Amino acid sequence: MRTGISELAIRLRNREISAVELTKAYIDAIEKLNPTLNAYVHLTFDTALKAAEKADQMLKEDDAPLLCGIPMALKDNICTDGLTTTCCSKILKGFKPYHDATVWEKLKAHGAVLLGKTNMDEFAMGSTSETSCYGAPLNPRNTNYVTGGSSGGSAAAVCANLAVYSLGSDTGGSIRQPASFCGVVGLKPTYGAVSRYGLIAYGSSLDQIGPLTNSVKDAAIVFDAIKGGDKRDQTSVDYDYGSSLAECLDRDVKGMRIGVAEEFFNGINPEIKSKIEEAIKLFEINGAVIENIRLPALKLALPVYYIIACAEASSNLGRYDGIRYGYRTSFYTSIEDMIVKTRSEGFGDEVKRRIMLGTYVLSSGYYDAYYKKACLIREEINREFDAVFEKCDVLVAPTAPNTAFPLNYKGASPVEMYLSDICTVPVNIAGVPAISVPCGEDARGLPIGMQIIGRRFDEATVLQVAHFYEQIAGKVIGAYEGGAGI
Amino acid sequence: MTISKTEIEKLAKLAKLSFSEEELERFTAEFDEIIAFADTINQSIEGGTEQIRNVGARMVSFDDLRTDEVVPSLPNEKILSNVEGYNGFFSVERSKK
């Protein structure tokens, strides 16, 4: 396994390598591989080197934080003061935020070194990262395939060792699904566990920021650094997790109750199903109690998700008018004409589709039939999850019904693409935490991800089960050769 | 249900978007499929829908609101630094002759 954050932190402290040298190694690797992989869309090498120099100073102190001097990446929808942030949309062309997202403020205080902003589906709307206005990132494991989405660049950067870790955002699976497609670890925390201040909004009741890493331990370390309440995000919660989660990972699964719901396995590719079943067997052999449970309302999760997410998106994206920031059309006859043309030229097709669906379900005459009903079914899905978690400590499920799609795959309609989010969206609807960990490869050598879902604010158990699996399963996917070589 | 081109045009107006004739044809066809997909929430679920109808809105607690304090805000110049052609005013093309 690649060098983890803890080992790098030791090497930095032992002066085996400096933060500047480490950063330069990553810059070289990015210069070499990014022209092909397109994982990064904005590079911040100058500020990275300055941050690395500062980190080297911080590392002279005994109490330097674990993440000090570690090179990393942020998804292009996380605001960075003065550094271009575009959500990979033409409408935010050239936008330089005037504030830092809380997560970036926290990581900066830890001495993090930002290498750049990563590629993503436009406004995080998509499952392949192909709706990016910069073109799709390529899957480092096989460049004929997509990275998944929407945090595709963040997953590719970690997979190809072009960053030690990255942050993504997950509204309906956008951290976990690309993590699964690229064979890395992706954690979607509990809704409210991490501040959304400075995250450019898509579906505000579903969005959550989380880490993509090479190991469960690294995910725990990054989550420890970014979690916590924030006055600037009224939906964030200052939950008392007790001690550092990264220090409490060692726990076996003896006596643990692991739930398996058949609803997560309907229509799943048989190769994926068999890998997840092997993992479940492994838990059982190691003393876990497997509970077969039902979540009947899950069959409504997809339409509920798309109705709620698009309704929120249509409202959130109302702010893009070409007046205060971003792209503005060149020819117009009135202010109204300017706004309409700016939006029509600035947004891509998938974003327009979702704004239109959101406008439809919120419009007079349809609000009760769609939006209100979706909110009520959301409550039912929440109740089902609550009932299941009275009997089970975690649930185990596939992360996605398929492995990575071929690039430019034209065989699926928009709705068929929406159906590929079936395993991940229920988690966002219920606001519970979930992690995706690699659990094997398909016949083409493409990674398969397993999802471990937990109770709200019980990231500790989710991480412990995932860490246990990682330790006992051994090598489940091939190593990626290349990148920074560290 | 099927959705007409006129309805799509009305929605586009609400969403402040415009479509060319060719885009409109394509969007109308896609939208039919998307609405049919959204309509699947009307399937019944095991345990009945009665339960769902009785669910009230999530309770909101008003006990834990932050106090309304004035805190420093970002300077105007910084907030307006992304405005195209800003020189103390928002400049737009002349639209009335």
Side-chain angles (χ1 to χ4, degrees):
Chain A
M1 193 181 283
R2 200 175 295 161
T3 317
I5 293 172
S6 314
E7 290 161 70
L8 280 175
I10 294 169
R11 290 175 63 184
L12 285 165
R13 276 156 189 74
N14 290 346
R15 308 282 183 269
E16 289 170 39
I17 191 167
S18 72
V20 169
E21 287 163 348
L22 186 61
T23 302
K24 282 183 177 162
Y26 276 91
I27 290 175
D28 288 347
I30 293 168
E31 282 176 337
K32 200 168 121 213
L33 291 174
N34 201 55
T36 310
L37 294 177
N38 201 21
Y40 285 90
V41 291
H42 314 297
L43 299 167
T44 55
F45 294 162
D46 289 346
T47 49
L49 287 167
K50 280 184 197 136
E53 282 171 21
K54 203 173 145 200
D56 277 327
Q57 292 302 315
M58 281 169 79
L59 284 160
K60 288 180 183 161
E61 306 297 325
D62 290 339
D63 59 351
L66 208 51
L67 292 172
C68 185
I70 308 279
M72 46 73 70
L74 291 174
K75 188 175 178 179
D76 195 34
N77 60 352
I78 297 173
C79 285
T80 41
D81 190 359
L83 302 174
T84 308
T85 304
T86 66
C87 267
C88 290
S89 177
K90 182 179 169 186
I91 210 157
L92 271 172
K93 191 182 120 194
F95 175 60
K96 287 195 166 72
Y98 17 74
H99 62 308
D100 281 328
T102 299
V103 286
W104 176 227
E105 202 174 71
K106 287 187 174 190
L107 290 174
K108 257 203 310 201
H110 281 249
V113 175
L114 176 68
L115 295 162
K117 310 295 283 283
T118 53
N119 210 345
M120 57 183 279
D121 277 300
E122 182 181 7
F123 281 100
M125 296 177 184
S127 311
T128 63
S129 297
E130 288 173 301
T131 69
S132 163
C133 73
Y134 303 104
L138 308 187
N139 193 321
R141 291 182 178 273
N142 184 333
T143 51
N144 295 319
Y145 290 86
V146 300
T147 54
S150 64
S151 311
S154 292
V158 171
C159 169
N161 204 9
L162 302 182
V164 178
Y165 69 93
S166 63
L167 293 189
S169 67
D170 192 315
T171 306
S174 285
I175 289 175
R176 292 160 286 156
Q177 186 254 28
S180 163
F181 281 14
C182 292
V184 299
V185 173
L187 171 70
K188 187 217 83 90
T190 308
Y191 182 77
V194 177
S195 168
R196 290 181 297 111
Y197 177 76
L199 171 70
I200 298 177
Y202 162 20
S204 308
S205 75
L206 304 152
D207 297 341
Q208 190 62 193
I209 298 172
L212 290 105
T213 57
N214 268 299
S215 69
V216 175
K217 188 170 183 192
D218 283 0
I221 291 170
V222 179
F223 177 65
D224 274 335
I226 61 171
K227 69 184 191 312
D230 179 7
K231 274 187 184 164
R232 297 170 298 186
D233 171 7
Q234 287 287 294
T235 61
S236 68
V237 178
D238 207 10
Y239 186 80
D240 181 10
Y241 283 91
S243 57
S244 144
L245 299 191
E247 283 167 21
C248 307
L249 288 175
D250 292 324
R251 178 180 166 189
D252 63 27
V253 293
K254 206 165 282 169
M256 201 176 270
R257 294 160 305 165
I258 295 181
V260 178
E262 65 176 61
E263 287 82 2
F264 276 114
F265 290 83
N266 295 334
I268 299 296
N269 170 328
E271 278 181 288
I272 296 177
K273 196 174 171 194
S274 98
K275 289 289 175 197
I276 307 292
E277 282 167 353
E278 278 175 31
I280 293 168
K281 263 270 166 303
L282 206 54
F283 286 131
E284 199 171 17
I285 293 166
N286 282 278
V289 181
I290 307 300
E291 304 264 4
N292 289 311
I293 50 110
R294 296 290 316 272
L295 287 161
L298 235 55
K299 71 172 181 186
L300 299 177
L302 270 174
V304 163
Y305 168 79
Y306 274 95
I307 289 168
I308 292 174
C310 294
E312 293 179 6
S314 74
S315 168
N316 277 327
L317 271 59
R319 71 191 65 170
Y320 301 102
D321 53 13
I323 295 174
R324 290 155 299 167
Y325 37 69
Y327 171 78
R328 184 188 296 172
T329 188
S330 306
F331 304 105
Y332 46 91
T333 53
S334 65
I335 296 294
E336 174 77 11
D337 189 43
M338 183 192 90
I339 294 172
V340 171
K341 280 190 180 146
T342 294
R343 290 167 62 79
S344 304
E345 292 164 18
F347 290 133
D349 278 355
E350 185 56 35
V351 174
K352 286 182 195 167
R353 262 193 290 276
R354 295 193 194 196
I355 292 176
M356 291 283 279
L357 176 62
T359 307
Y360 178 78
V361 299
L362 290 175
S363 63
S364 168
Y366 297 110
Y367 179 89
D368 284 358
Y370 292 105
Y371 182 70
K372 192 171 169 195
K373 184 150 194 195
C375 290
L376 295 176
I377 298 172
R378 182 180 196 173
E379 290 294 334
E380 177 63 17
I381 293 171
N382 280 339
R383 265 203 305 275
E384 286 190 4
F385 268 103
D386 289 345
V388 159
F389 282 125
E390 280 182 17
K391 288 195 289 191
C392 303
D393 298 299
V394 290
L395 303 182
V396 166
T399 303
N402 42 272
T403 50
F405 310 102
L407 273 169
N408 303 315
Y409 178 61
K410 301 276 184 247
S413 69
V415 168
E416 282 165 339
M417 284 309 290
Y418 298 168
L419 299 179
S420 70
D421 299 335
I422 182 71
C423 301
T424 46
V425 297
V427 164
N428 300 75
I429 291 172
V432 293
I435 198 167
S436 177
V437 287
C439 74
E441 288 174 345
D442 70 4
R444 293 166 300 177
L446 296 169
I448 296 170
M450 169 170 66
Q451 206 178 183
I452 297 159
I453 308 165
R455 299 184 183 100
R456 284 183 202 96
F457 297 104
D458 192 13
E459 278 83 357
T461 307
V462 168
L463 290 161
Q464 286 160 351
V465 174
H467 185 249
F468 181 79
Y469 175 76
E470 200 177 54
Q471 303 301 305
I472 54 161
K475 193 172 176 258
V476 289
I477 54 170
Y480 176 84
E481 305 295 341
I486 294 200
Chain B
M1 81 179 259
T2 54
I3 192 156
S4 68
K5 241 160 72 171
T6 322
E7 281 174 288
I8 292 283
E9 279 170 330
K10 190 184 153 207
L11 273 180
K13 196 161 188 261
L14 284 171
K16 297 216 183 296
L17 291 170
S18 65
F19 296 102
S20 68
E21 198 53 38
E22 179 262 328
E23 284 174 327
L24 206 59
E25 291 285 346
R26 184 162 49 85
F27 252 82
T28 309
E30 280 171 2
F31 220 68
D32 262 344
E33 196 194 354
I34 292 170
I35 297 299
F37 163 69
D39 274 334
T40 57
I41 61 163
N42 292 312
Q43 302 167 60
S44 64
I45 56 171
E46 284 170 46
T49 51
E50 200 56 42
Q51 228 183 339
I52 292 175
R53 274 188 219 122
N54 295 333
V55 181
R58 212 182 260 250
M59 289 296 288
V60 178
S61 164
F62 290 100
D63 300 335
D64 192 26
L65 298 180
R66 65 172 163 79
T67 47
D68 194 12
E69 284 166 359
V70 178
V71 292
S73 56
L74 291 167
N76 273 6
E77 316 81 73
K78 201 166 186 192
I79 287 284
L80 296 165
S81 58
N82 279 286
V83 180
E84 196 183 296
Y86 184 78
N87 54 0
F89 299 93
F90 286 87
S91 344
V92 291
E93 294 288 312
R94 176 193 288 265
S95 57
K96 286 220 168 83
K97 299 243 162 66

